[in-house]
Amino acid sequence: MIHRFPNYYKEFSCIADKCEATCCAGWQIVVDEDSLKQYKKVTGPFKQRIKDGVDFKEGVFYQNQGKRCAFLNEQNLCDMYTALGEDSFCETCRRYPRHIEEFENIREFTLSASCPEAARILLSQKEPVQFYEVEMEADEEEFDDYDPLVYEKLLEARGEMLKLLQNRSIPVKERAAALWDFIQIFQEEMDEGTLFADDTIYEKLIPRNPKTSYEEAKALFALLHNLEFLADDWEDTLNEAEELLYGKGAKDYEEIKTNFAVWKYTNFPNWDIMAEQLLVYFIITYSCGAVYDEYVASKVKMSVCSMFYIEELAMAQWMKNGGSLTFAEFTKIVYRYSRELEHSDENLITMDRMMEEI
Ligand code: SF4
């Protein structure tokens, strides 16, 4: 069994009570069977707390006001951890923000950008992200609907896309546009069964300067309203951004974009590197998952669109601030966006379907 990691993986360490957006609030924490069994055996003073905090029927932790986990105390520390130690953590809590994608004999690990500290680490990477592999002993697993040849092809395509994505001699938007065009051809050939015979497929990864019109940007952004909202204030954030960016028409939008571009490259010389790291993150996390449904175009397009959404939200925040944006604010946009999209299976499915349509 091969375990594959991005090179920054080991930089992560939970900042616990210093975290500005704890992962123990805002969504339902699902508890695995083994942990439920373990919780049933707890004796002593913490027994009643377990009874009050664990919904054994639904296999989740109860939530208090603000969707806070029943074990999260006022100091944003976990009372279960304090009383019973780290071994008491259920799989979700033990693992987060480590995200695992499973393939036959391969596990790919990433750090979810929905965690503020993981997002900070990701955005702070200056060099192109590399991946390393560790051979682990494990029983060989077989997956239904898994075609190793398709996986190999997806992996090869991902490698080629990453090579282009990390080519810093090309503006990041042109690299993203190359992926957008290429993956549609790749998908067509996959659907028609001609992909494996096409030796020139990677020659179709051609950078181009994308021009997103006001109407296109507005329509693309509006798609976010089709997702379920996890945070109570997310819909307000979207509405506010739309008003700031698109509220005054095409001419103003173009002017905002031009001014923001000048500002961001002056104040964030690493802007394109941050955009590259985000694109790499989304491509790595999702593109090979197409081995299970063979819809790789929607996943790559979702990655490119995610970069677009994050930039638009950043531009709106910059406007709201009167022409400024801090790294902390940008990081917050990234982890909030990631939470909304990546912490809802329903949203990932809806996004996948929407991306098939565009
Ligand atoms: S979101 Fe990340 S840094 Fe914050 S408490 Fe959770 S794991 Fe720790």
Side-chain angles (χ1 to χ4, degrees):
M1 166 77 74
I2 289 171
H3 284 192
R4 192 176 284 141
F5 305 87
N7 58 295
Y8 57 81
Y9 190 77
K10 286 195 178 150
E11 284 181 39
F12 177 76
S13 167
C14 174
I15 53 172
D17 56 331
K18 292 183 191 65
C19 180
E20 65 183 46
T22 173
C23 52
C24 310
W27 56 65
Q28 195 95 59
I29 297 172
V30 177
V31 185
D32 58 288
E33 286 297 325
D34 286 349
S35 299
L36 288 172
K37 277 187 207 150
Q38 191 190 332
Y39 297 152
K40 277 189 181 151
K41 290 184 200 151
V42 171
T43 53
F46 209 69
K47 186 176 176 176
Q48 188 58 42
R49 189 73 197 283
I50 288 280
K51 270 189 173 177
D52 295 340
V54 183
D55 181 344
F56 285 95
K57 206 161 146 240
E58 296 297 326
V60 294
F61 293 134
Y62 285 118
Q63 292 181 314
N64 293 329
Q65 214 178 359
K67 296 187 189 166
R68 289 170 65 84
C69 172
F71 294 99
L72 187 65
N73 66 27
E74 294 284 304
Q75 288 75 43
N76 276 351
L77 291 170
C78 174
D79 283 342
M80 176 148 16
Y81 177 89
T82 310
L84 306 176
E86 196 174 347
D87 288 348
S88 67
F89 273 168
C90 69
E91 209 180 316
T92 309
C93 297
R94 208 169 22 241
R95 195 181 270 185
Y96 185 82
R98 296 158 193 91
H99 173 85
I100 304 175
E101 289 288 316
E102 303 254 8
F103 306 101
E104 241 176 52
N105 303 321
I106 293 170
R107 278 195 189 134
E108 295 199 330
F109 294 73
T110 47
L111 293 176
S112 174
S114 59
C115 157
E117 179 61 2
R120 188 196 64 75
I121 291 169
L122 175 70
L123 296 171
S124 302
Q125 299 302 308
K126 299 286 181 286
E127 298 303 319
V129 171
Q130 305 293 322
F131 297 85
Y132 66 94
E133 294 180 351
V134 180
E135 185 91 37
M136 306 289 284
E137 276 201 24
D139 294 339
E140 300 221 334
E141 281 179 275
E142 293 209 352
F143 290 76
D144 293 339
D145 301 327
Y146 184 92
D147 183 337
L149 287 178
V150 172
Y151 177 72
E152 284 305 317
K153 197 71 190 170
L154 289 168
L155 197 62
E156 181 184 274
R158 189 177 78 175
E160 293 297 323
M161 288 192 285
L162 289 184
K163 223 187 282 173
L164 180 91
L165 258 186
Q166 296 182 325
N167 181 348
R168 295 182 177 174
S169 64
I170 305 165
V172 73
K173 287 210 162 136
E174 296 189 22
R175 295 178 239 163
L179 259 57
W180 185 276
D181 298 342
F182 161 78
I183 207 62
Q184 299 191 80
I185 302 168
F186 187 93
Q187 183 73 60
E188 265 170 42
E189 295 195 6
M190 202 166 167
D191 295 344
E192 288 162 8
T194 56
L195 181 62
F196 286 88
D198 185 353
D199 296 336
T200 61
I201 184 75
Y202 301 119
E203 291 169 21
K204 290 155 193 161
L205 262 167
I206 306 165
R208 76 171 159 89
N209 190 0
K211 293 254 184 289
T212 311
S213 70
Y214 165 76
E215 283 77 18
E216 286 167 335
K218 193 175 164 189
L220 203 53
F221 197 92
L223 293 180
L224 291 177
H225 288 280
N226 296 332
L227 305 181
E228 67 161 337
F229 301 125
L230 269 63
D232 292 341
D233 56 350
W234 185 244
E235 189 174 15
D236 291 343
T237 302
L238 297 183
N239 289 338
E240 188 181 43
E242 282 171 314
E243 188 52 38
L244 285 163
L245 299 175
Y246 317 122
K248 290 193 182 141
K251 198 165 158 282
D252 277 56
Y253 176 67
E254 291 306 328
E255 203 177 303
I256 294 165
K257 268 206 314 189
T258 306
N259 292 339
F260 181 60
V262 172
W263 182 89
K264 75 183 183 191
Y265 288 124
T266 310
N267 293 277
F268 278 100
N270 287 334
W271 189 273
D272 275 10
I273 295 178
M274 294 196 295
E276 171 194 305
Q277 306 300 17
L278 284 166
L279 279 163
V280 168
Y281 164 78
F282 283 110
I283 294 286
I284 283 293
T285 309
Y286 294 105
S287 63
C288 283
V291 69
Y292 298 111
D293 63 10
E294 301 206 358
Y295 291 126
V296 66
S298 53
K299 291 163 187 60
V300 171
K301 288 201 269 181
M302 180 182 86
S303 306
V304 174
C305 281
S306 291
M307 189 56 247
F308 165 80
Y309 290 134
I310 288 167
E311 279 221 12
E312 294 290 276
L313 287 163
M315 193 156 71
Q317 183 69 51
W318 170 80
M319 283 190 72
K320 190 178 169 185
N321 295 348
S324 68
L325 182 77
T326 63
F327 177 74
E329 284 171 321
F330 186 63
T331 306
K332 186 171 180 175
I333 289 165
V334 170
Y335 76 70
R336 289 192 71 206
Y337 172 81
S338 166
R339 283 181 178 201
E340 292 296 319
L341 176 68
E342 301 188 89
H343 281 265
S344 159
D345 287 342
E346 188 185 316
N347 281 349
L348 283 168
I349 292 166
T350 307
M351 186 63 105
D352 209 59
R353 296 212 175 112
M354 290 193 298
M355 293 295 124
E356 277 175 45
E357 307 284 314
I358 58 172

